[in-house]
Amino acid sequence: MRVSTAYRYDSSIDSLQRRQRDLSEVQASMTNGKRINKTSDDPTGAARAERAYIAQQRIGSDQRSVDASRNAMKLGESTLGQAVELLQSARETIVTAGNATYSPSERNAQVQQLKNFRTQLLALANQDDGAGGFVFGGQTSGTVPFLDTPGGVTLAPTAAAGQTQASTREAMPTTLDGQAIWLSARSGNGVFVTGQSGANSGQAWISAGSVSDPAAITGSSYALTFSVVDGVTTYDVLQDGAPTGQSGVGFVSGSAITVDGMSFTITGQPGDGDSFTLAPSQPELSPFTALDNAISALSDPQATGSQVAQAVSSGLRDMDAVMAQFMSARAQAGTDMNRLDAIDSRNQDRMLWAKTAQASVEDVDMVQAISDYKQQESGYQAALQSYAIVQRMSLLDYLK
């Protein structure tokens, strides 16, 4: 068969271009370290690499949620720690204010300190997170959580903690529940609340009390009504307003009194007609209410010794209840941070897997790439030489 000179030229140029293209592709793979530079290089491998890349983006998004949640929990735990320190200082101040030798002006100095603690606590309750939200903002973190109204501190946003959710369906808190933490400590000793009924005329005060027999607790409300006849003091116990078997019981100051599993003491000398109450505990106590009650009682210049003692006893009881609530919330924040650390660890493992899967498909085997490069380079050089020979094989060259 005859092969024209033009065909030989075209064939040589085509071979040269193909060799040059193959060499260029090998060079590109060696430069960027990628075996797949376009989908047509390996459609199946490219699809696998794309899935691995998408998984990395999803894991990265999950990790950002973990980081945001961890930061919120750290800030919340730190804020609660500061609140506990303030309450401890307030507790010490209440003890100091109960000094029987203090004059009203000296006691007023302690009251001013309690007011200062209250202001600081409100600032902590409204702690911002630095990103336009509030640590204790609940489900509407963009609103100032607590408002100081004439009736006391109230919660503005929706209660419950705000949460974000990762693609793994694991809910992660982004705010803390201000209602549960700041406004829902159990009143009294956690089971029942002791107090005075109205303005008693005597000089007696009741302790916070404790549970002596849990099985005997009824959940009813009780009242101890005192009677003083010819210098003899006795009391009657009423349950939900009805008489009980404890009637005309002789009273001894500071002696333990037990009513249906609840033990407490009444110290001092009750007046005729004085009454003390026992009521079921409720999740309604806040540090602001506790401080307001203590401030109100201790700031009264006409307060008697027994009224001051009652204010101190109730104030210490309430401070302890609120601190226990805060410490429980801190413990929960610590538990959440441990869980977030576990999620973080799993995310790192998932990210390593996704990167490894992508690299196993995309990354070039450098030893193989160098071998291919040498092979393509030899082929390209051979093509150049062949083209050079073809250029010289013309009739004019022959006639010369």
Side-chain angles (χ1 to χ4, degrees):
M1 59 179 286
R2 292 188 304 167
V3 179
S4 67
T5 300
Y7 175 79
R8 286 185 308 192
Y9 272 104
D10 292 341
S11 178
S12 298
I13 291 174
D14 181 64
S15 177
L16 184 62
Q17 288 177 335
R18 283 188 287 102
R19 294 288 185 177
Q20 189 177 34
R21 184 186 65 244
D22 293 343
L23 181 61
S24 177
E25 289 177 352
V26 175
Q27 286 178 320
S29 295
M30 293 177 62
T31 301
N32 58 29
K34 299 297 182 183
R35 184 179 66 86
I36 302 175
N37 292 295
K38 55 183 183 293
T39 305
S40 60
D41 291 341
D42 183 354
T44 302
R48 290 175 55 196
E50 181 66 18
R51 286 194 295 270
Y53 174 77
I54 292 174
Q56 292 176 50
Q57 301 306 304
R58 187 165 53 247
I59 295 168
S61 176
D62 292 348
Q63 188 58 40
R64 286 191 291 274
S65 297
V66 170
D67 293 339
S69 182
R70 184 190 289 113
N71 291 337
M73 292 302 99
K74 285 182 178 179
L75 184 55
E77 192 275 337
S78 174
T79 303
L80 289 172
Q82 297 175 53
V84 169
E85 292 177 2
L86 282 175
L87 289 173
Q88 183 61 44
S89 298
R91 192 182 192 281
E92 295 170 0
T93 302
I94 291 174
V95 172
T96 302
N99 192 324
T101 64
Y102 271 15
S103 65
S105 61
E106 290 174 319
R107 188 168 291 116
N108 185 63
Q110 306 304 315
V111 169
Q112 296 306 315
Q113 187 64 25
L114 291 177
K115 290 180 178 179
N116 181 46
F117 289 140
R118 186 185 187 280
T119 300
Q120 294 182 63
L121 281 170
L122 184 58
L124 289 177
N126 287 328
Q127 174 71 55
D128 67 89
D129 60 9
F134 295 88
V135 176
F136 302 101
Q139 295 182 355
T140 51
S141 61
T143 303
V144 176
F146 298 95
L147 303 177
D148 197 1
T149 68
V153 174
T154 60
L155 185 71
T158 305
Q163 293 184 334
T164 184
Q165 188 163 288
S167 59
T168 54
R169 303 298 180 185
E170 295 188 77
M172 293 171 286
T174 55
T175 61
L176 296 176
D177 187 350
Q179 171 74 37
I181 295 173
W182 288 86
L183 304 180
S184 299
R186 294 200 69 85
S187 57
N189 57 27
V191 178
F192 62 94
V193 185
T194 60
Q196 295 185 3
S197 178
N200 289 345
S201 61
Q203 296 293 318
W205 57 277
I206 187 171
S207 68
S210 61
V211 176
S212 58
D213 183 3
I217 300 295
T218 64
S220 298
S221 296
Y222 297 83
L224 277 73
T225 303
F226 285 81
S227 177
V228 181
V229 179
D230 297 331
V232 178
T233 303
T234 60
Y235 65 86
D236 297 334
V237 177
L238 304 178
Q239 180 179 8
D240 293 330
T244 66
Q246 291 176 282
S247 178
V249 181
F251 170 74
V252 179
S253 175
S255 180
I257 300 174
T258 300
V259 176
D260 287 347
M262 299 176 288
S263 295
F264 53 93
T265 60
I266 295 178
T267 305
Q269 181 56 50
D272 186 39
D274 284 358
S275 180
F276 294 88
T277 59
L278 308 173
S281 173
Q282 301 294 332
E284 58 187 12
L285 180 65
S286 76
F288 311 109
T289 300
L291 286 171
D292 287 342
N293 292 338
I295 290 169
S296 176
L298 294 173
S299 61
D300 183 3
Q302 305 300 321
T304 64
S306 63
Q307 289 173 329
V308 171
Q310 185 67 71
V312 171
S313 176
S314 299
L316 296 181
R317 175 199 65 194
D318 292 344
M319 290 296 104
D320 290 342
V322 174
M323 282 194 290
Q325 179 79 352
F326 282 0
M327 287 187 284
S328 176
R330 288 187 72 186
Q332 182 58 51
T335 300
D336 286 337
M337 285 192 286
N338 288 337
R339 184 170 65 86
L340 291 170
D341 288 341
I343 297 175
D344 187 352
S345 179
R346 292 197 295 273
N347 283 345
Q348 300 303 324
D349 292 341
R350 292 167 58 213
M351 181 65 79
L352 177 60
W353 169 84
K355 288 183 176 180
T356 301
Q358 183 180 10
S360 66
V361 176
E362 281 188 342
D363 290 0
V364 69
D365 181 345
M366 196 57 68
V367 175
Q368 182 64 43
I370 293 174
S371 175
D372 291 343
Y373 176 78
K374 292 297 184 181
Q375 182 179 359
Q376 295 296 337
E377 185 180 36
S378 297
Y380 182 59
Q381 290 175 349
L384 285 173
Q385 292 174 354
S386 175
Y387 180 68
I389 293 172
V390 169
Q391 277 190 319
R392 291 195 299 269
M393 293 178 65
S394 68
L395 178 60
L396 293 177
D397 289 332
Y398 180 77
L399 292 175
K400 289 179 183 179

